[in-house]
Amino acid sequence: VAEGGLVPADGVLLSRQCQVDEALLSGESAPIAKAEGAALIAGSVLLDGPAQLRVERVGANTLLSGIAALVTRAQAQRPQLAALGERAARVLVARVLIVATLTALLWCFLDPTRALTATLAVLVVSCPCAFALAVPAALTRALAVLAQRGVLAVHPDALERLAGITHAVFDKTGTLTQTPLTLARCQVLRDTISPQTALTLAAALASGSRHPAARAIAAAAAAHTLPAVEDRHAHAGDGLQGRIDGQQLRLGRGAYALGACTAASTSLEQLPEDAVLLADTQGPLAAFFLNERLREDAAATVAALQAQGVQVTILSGDAPTKVAAVAQRLSVSEWHGALRPEDKLAYLRALRTQGARVLVVGDGINDAPVLAGADVAVSLVSAAELAQSCSDIVFTHGRLGALLEARAIAQQTLVILRQNQRWALVYNLCAVPFAALGLVPPWLAALGMSLSSLIVVLNALRVGRHTPAFTPETIVPKHTVQKHFVQKHSVPKQTTAELRT
């Protein structure tokens, strides 16, 4: 099972150790340490790896079959907005029954021959179903439109939160930058090793990992025969370690790669900050430099969010120099590099204590904690399974511009469902008194009730009808991006022509 992958069947761990997340089954998201011989449950997520297991139970005999029940239960749960609409409908029904009872008693004294007709008109003309349909009709339409555009809303309540976000936090590698990465060059840091040997050792450690940097290194050595790796483990946000021919090696961030180094002279200050390091117990062996390119719609998406008043921040575990370069290209003033997963989560909590409503977009295992703690969590289809399992919304097309489409549709959905609720309230307040006074015959009451529900459904069909699919050109007009950039960074007027170019 690869790092970040789902355990496909019940079995026994054959590797020495690993950590898994069994939140899908137990609800507990804390990592659970497993030693050799421990039971692994289908549906759990491997946090470090890869790991080997011996399959013992498959299909209906595994605990994985319980996931179907979890899915059914989740689908049966009503969104919070829909639950509020249903409660309003129940209150209306109770009040209509009271009004109908009073109407019957009143007409029994005034004109008993009209008591039945007036009471029936009150019961028929009232439309609690309009209240009950107001929210689910709009939400159902919104979810269908988003699904057609490659946006899967796992939790419908996320649409309400998405419409009101104040901050957007983006991961860098694999989120703002395009995958796959490519290896630019390999720089050996010790005379006793050749670039080809360093590449094969690094690729052997990186094989099986889903991190974009590891994939780039492994792909660069696709034509080479890789040595066997023993006791290979991945540490989220840091890198990988393993033993090759008895030699303990680490591949990843500088501080992590040198963590097992026993040489007293080793210093991070002498090493390239923006590279992936390969090191053994004696010190660094090689540095790998990767090429990164922004996603096609990353700049326009960030600019559009900023133009809407959303504060954009980049949080990354990558080297600060690389994060700064991407932030500069995207005109993002607030960024932080070399962050561990717990650092990202601490930053998120600090924002939320200030009353911020935070959207987080990430794709890696190290993003899972901050995704789980966000008001709205978004991941791409290429993200690790653990990141997707913590997300409220998943983009199946890999377009960041879909975030703007989803937010626009979410805002439109809230407007329309509130229109539906106001219509249902106004209709009932106007129609019920006339029916109680005997001014509405039963046939007209039935027609009015049907038209009221029909209006709610037709209004809900407006969701997404005039919301265009966003592209880098249509996400935000050029002059809007330019105006926002100039105002934010106080660019002299003579440079606006260059910005337009």
Side-chain angles (χ1 to χ4, degrees):
V1 181
E3 165 209 356
L6 286 171
V7 177
D10 288 357
V12 174
L13 180 64
L14 297 181
S15 301
R16 188 176 65 177
Q17 63 182 10
C18 70
Q19 286 190 328
V20 296
D21 182 344
E22 297 182 350
L24 186 63
L25 300 172
S26 66
E28 177 57 53
S29 59
I32 300 175
K34 299 283 187 177
E36 184 177 357
L40 292 182
I41 302 173
S44 55
V45 181
L46 193 66
L47 298 180
D48 59 1
Q52 291 183 335
L53 74 148
R54 182 177 64 250
V55 175
E56 293 189 335
R57 292 179 297 275
V58 297
N61 296 324
T62 70
L63 292 180
L64 184 61
S65 60
I67 296 179
L70 293 177
V71 172
T72 302
R73 192 182 315 135
Q75 292 175 339
Q77 291 177 350
R78 305 295 294 160
Q80 185 177 1
L81 287 172
L84 291 175
E86 291 174 351
R87 283 197 293 271
R90 288 196 295 269
V91 172
L92 177 62
V93 168
R95 293 181 178 179
V96 167
L97 291 176
I98 294 174
V99 172
T101 302
L102 294 176
T103 300
L105 294 175
L106 180 62
W107 280 107
C108 284
F109 286 104
L110 297 178
D111 186 355
T113 61
R114 301 181 61 184
L116 179 61
T117 302
T119 303
L120 184 61
V122 169
L123 293 174
V124 173
V125 79
S126 64
C127 192
C129 52
F131 269 110
L133 284 173
V135 175
L139 282 180
T140 302
R141 170 64 180 177
L143 295 178
V145 171
L146 289 174
Q148 292 173 355
R149 301 188 181 197
V151 179
L152 299 182
V154 181
H155 303 292
D157 286 333
L159 294 183
E160 179 187 12
R161 300 192 297 270
L162 178 61
I165 60 168
T166 60
H167 290 68
V169 173
F170 288 87
D171 176 48
K172 181 183 73 71
T173 306
T175 302
L176 292 174
T177 58
Q178 183 69 50
T179 55
L181 305 179
T182 57
L183 180 64
R185 62 188 177 93
C186 170
Q187 176 185 345
V188 294
L189 303 176
R190 195 182 300 176
D191 296 337
T192 57
I193 190 172
S194 67
Q196 180 176 344
T197 302
L199 179 60
T200 56
L201 292 176
L205 286 176
S207 60
S209 174
R210 299 193 59 178
H211 192 279
R215 288 182 173 181
I217 295 174
H224 298 76
T225 301
L226 303 181
V229 181
E230 299 177 352
D231 299 329
R232 177 168 46 194
H233 294 283
H235 298 269
D238 289 324
L240 304 111
Q241 71 174 15
R243 190 170 63 254
I244 300 178
D245 295 332
Q247 182 183 19
Q248 191 67 32
L249 297 172
R250 286 192 176 189
L251 177 71
R253 296 170 53 186
Y256 169 77
L258 299 179
C261 179
T262 59
S265 61
T266 302
S267 174
L268 281 174
E269 298 177 356
Q270 304 171 357
L271 299 175
E273 186 184 40
D274 57 345
V276 178
L277 290 183
L278 174 68
D280 60 9
T281 56
Q282 300 302 313
L285 292 171
F288 299 91
F289 297 87
L290 304 176
N291 286 326
E292 283 188 317
R293 55 191 177 93
L294 291 177
R295 287 187 180 272
E296 181 183 2
D297 53 357
T301 300
V302 169
L305 288 173
Q306 292 173 331
Q308 295 172 8
V310 178
Q311 177 66 44
V312 177
T313 304
I314 300 176
L315 301 182
S316 175
D318 212 339
T321 54
K322 299 178 71 174
V323 182
V326 171
Q328 184 177 9
R329 294 171 64 185
L330 295 176
S331 303
V332 175
S333 59
E334 185 170 1
W335 56 268
H336 301 277
L339 296 183
R340 303 286 298 274
E342 54 268 27
D343 299 328
K344 294 183 179 182
L345 187 57
Y347 181 88
L348 173 67
R349 288 172 175 169
L351 283 180
R352 299 193 65 181
T353 56
Q354 300 171 8
R357 295 184 295 276
V358 187
L359 161 78
V360 175
V361 186
D363 74 320
I365 296 176
N366 59 324
D367 297 319
V370 70
L371 286 169
D375 293 288
V376 183
V378 176
S379 63
L380 306 178
V381 69
S382 58
E385 285 89 343
L386 182 59
Q388 293 186 20
S389 66
C390 296
S391 299
D392 301 306
I393 298 174
V394 178
F395 295 158
T396 62
H397 293 165
R399 297 183 300 110
L400 284 182
L403 177 60
L404 300 176
E405 297 179 36
R407 188 162 190 258
I409 290 174
Q411 292 172 334
Q412 186 184 22
T413 301
L414 292 182
V415 171
I416 287 180
L417 68 85
R418 286 166 185 157
Q419 290 176 351
N420 287 345
Q421 290 174 327
R422 285 195 295 268
W423 161 253
L425 178 62
V426 170
Y427 167 80
N428 283 280
L429 289 178
C430 294
V432 171
F434 281 102
L437 293 175
L439 301 178
V440 180
W443 66 267
L444 184 58
L447 181 61
M449 183 270 293
S450 301
L451 287 177
S452 176
S453 298
L454 183 60
I455 288 174
V456 166
V457 173
L458 292 178
N459 192 42
L461 292 178
R462 294 172 50 226
V463 173
R465 178 167 296 176
H466 301 294
T467 304
F470 291 108
T471 65
E473 292 75 23
T474 63
I475 284 178
V476 61
K478 287 184 178 180
H479 68 275
T480 304
V481 179
Q482 173 185 316
K483 179 180 178 182
H484 174 73
F485 186 88
V486 171
Q487 290 177 346
K488 183 174 181 181
H489 298 275
S490 301
V491 179
K493 291 183 178 179
Q494 60 268 25
T495 65
T496 55
E498 299 176 2
L499 289 175
R500 184 177 295 108
T501 303

